[in-house]
Amino acid sequence: MRSATSTLGEHVYSPGMLTAFAPGRVNLIGDHTDYTGGLVMPMAVQMGTTVRFEPGGDSVHLASEGFEGTVDVPIGVSDPASVEPRWGRYVAGVVLSIRPSTGGSGYVSTTLPVGAGLSSSAALEVALALALGFGRDSLSLARACRRAEQISSGLPCGIMDHLASAAGRTGHALLIDCTTEAVEPVAVPPDCEIVVVPSGETRHLASTPYADRHASCEEAARIIGPLAEARRSQLALISDPTLRRRARHVITENERVRAFAGAMASGDLLDAGRLMVESHRSLRDDFEVSTPALERVVERLLRHPGVYGTRLTGGGFGGCVVALTEPGSLHEGWTVVPSAGARVSSIQ
Ligand code: GLA
């Protein structure tokens, strides 16, 4: 038990404080499918964001080691776009989304690289929502934080990042059906490693053509119906060749996610790796979200002994590549382990 006050790092803490942690995620397969109600298979990783927080008051006051400046957002905030510094907009998004009855003050720290495609913004939103007292189940938490992301960044994102962070399971990836929002944990075989290699290109997804890809999927769905239910044979009904390729990525990616989940469950790492490479090619050629920097990393890793497969992970346009490897074969990037989801505890 701590007595009156104590210190954690350079900050003074008193009884009643909380610590909330939310992991980042890497997506093993199934990109640009979540916002069309399709299948994804991410896993929460050991790196994440911690908010140490003392509830009370009518604003959310946060300092941080990784982000610049301090944030002070009133719990009655109405316009996140006016909040400075910019990371405060995520804070405002969470406040607007969950409408807490009290604010508080605290400190944010993260072990996630920011803008690298490991869902640093989702981890911040999920950890903050927990710190602000969000007490419902992990799916409700993920929905609330997805809404926060959409409010704060304008990005029409899907639920994958927030659900992976909220519902992560030690030793497992999550097969998520984004129409039903059902989550099925799939054990990651013990005789492999998952390595994330940065391309060196950081980006903020809201300033990429992500929304344009989202709009193309909606347009394709107006022609052939929900892409999550569509079949390859229906692609012929789409006359615009670009739109047809976008839809083909989504339809074939859903097939690959299902096959990949089966391959992982049966420990067929060669097949899992092959599916990852096919997914990457589809993201590159049909969905056009790869970049020369991502291509260089993928091509290099594919020549590396012990790599079963590799692909860009997340939204693309920069960020990271994920590789499935024999243990110990890659000595770069971050070796990530499938980890538990977000949690909150009181500091005692
Ligand atoms: C980002 C979004 C997710 C998802 C991926 C692409 O990470 O936040 O919802 O759309 O891109 O799969």
Side-chain angles (χ1 to χ4, degrees), residues 25 27 30-35 40 119 149 155 157-162 205 210 314-316:
R25 66 95 188 94
N27 191 24
D31 272 311
H32 291 277
T33 46
D34 60 351
Y35 52 77
V40 294
S119 294
E149 175 90 32
L155 191 77
C157 65
I159 200 160
M160 169 171 71
D161 303 349
H162 301 92
L205 269 186
Y210 182 100

Side-chain angles (χ1 to χ4, degrees), residues 8-33:
L8 268 176
E10 45 197 277
H11 294 267
V12 178
Y13 289 86
S14 53
M17 294 210 60
L18 306 168
T19 181
F21 173 81
R25 66 95 188 94
V26 63
N27 191 24
L28 300 182
I29 197 163
D31 272 311
H32 291 277
T33 46

Side-chain angles (χ1 to χ4, degrees), residues 89-262:
R89 296 181 191 176
Y90 294 113
V91 176
V94 172
V95 169
L96 272 164
S97 177
I98 72 171
R99 288 277 172 216
S101 51
T102 54
S105 62
Y107 189 75
V108 180
S109 55
T110 188
T111 51
L112 283 166
V114 173
L118 296 183
S119 294
S120 53
S121 59
L124 172 62
E125 288 151 352
V126 172
L128 181 61
L130 288 177
L132 284 169
F134 191 93
R136 294 169 57 204
D137 58 285
S138 54
L139 177 57
S140 307
L141 174 63
R143 284 181 181 152
C145 291
R146 174 198 188 186
R147 197 163 59 235
E149 175 90 32
Q150 292 178 338
I151 294 170
S152 54
S153 68
L155 191 77
C157 65
I159 200 160
M160 169 171 71
D161 303 349
H162 301 92
L163 195 47
S165 178
R169 175 90 74 92
T170 308
H172 293 74
L174 305 178
L175 173 60
I176 303 173
D177 178 327
C178 298
T179 295
T180 61
E181 295 176 326
V183 178
E184 188 188 321
V186 177
V188 172
D191 52 343
C192 68
E193 237 163 46
I194 293 163
V195 184
V196 175
V197 180
S199 68
E201 248 172 357
T202 55
R203 82 283 183 266
H204 184 56
L205 269 186
S207 32
T208 68
Y210 182 100
D212 163 83
R213 298 298 188 273
H214 179 275
S216 296
C217 290
E218 292 202 319
E219 204 180 327
R222 278 193 287 276
I223 302 169
I224 61 172
L227 297 186
E229 292 162 25
R231 292 173 193 284
R232 288 183 195 218
S233 56
Q234 291 172 273
L235 289 168
L237 299 170
I238 304 176
S239 52
D240 180 90
T242 304
L243 210 56
R244 192 163 58 235
R245 282 188 292 119
R246 304 290 188 252
R248 184 168 63 188
H249 164 71
V250 175
I251 293 171
T252 58
E253 185 79 344
N254 284 325
E255 294 170 1
R256 283 185 290 269
V257 177
R258 211 178 282 289
F260 181 87

Side-chain angles (χ1 to χ4, degrees), residues 31-56:
D31 272 311
H32 291 277
T33 46
D34 60 351
Y35 52 77
T36 62
L39 300 175
V40 294
M41 199 161 153
M43 63 179 220
V45 298
Q46 72 273 26
M47 299 177 275
T49 296
T50 302
V51 179
R52 297 194 173 87
F53 199 69
E54 179 157 28

Side-chain angles (χ1 to χ4, degrees), residues 315-333:
F317 306 109
C320 289
V321 157
V322 60
L324 182 69
T325 75
E326 281 174 8
S329 50
L330 268 188
H331 301 283
E332 60 178 307

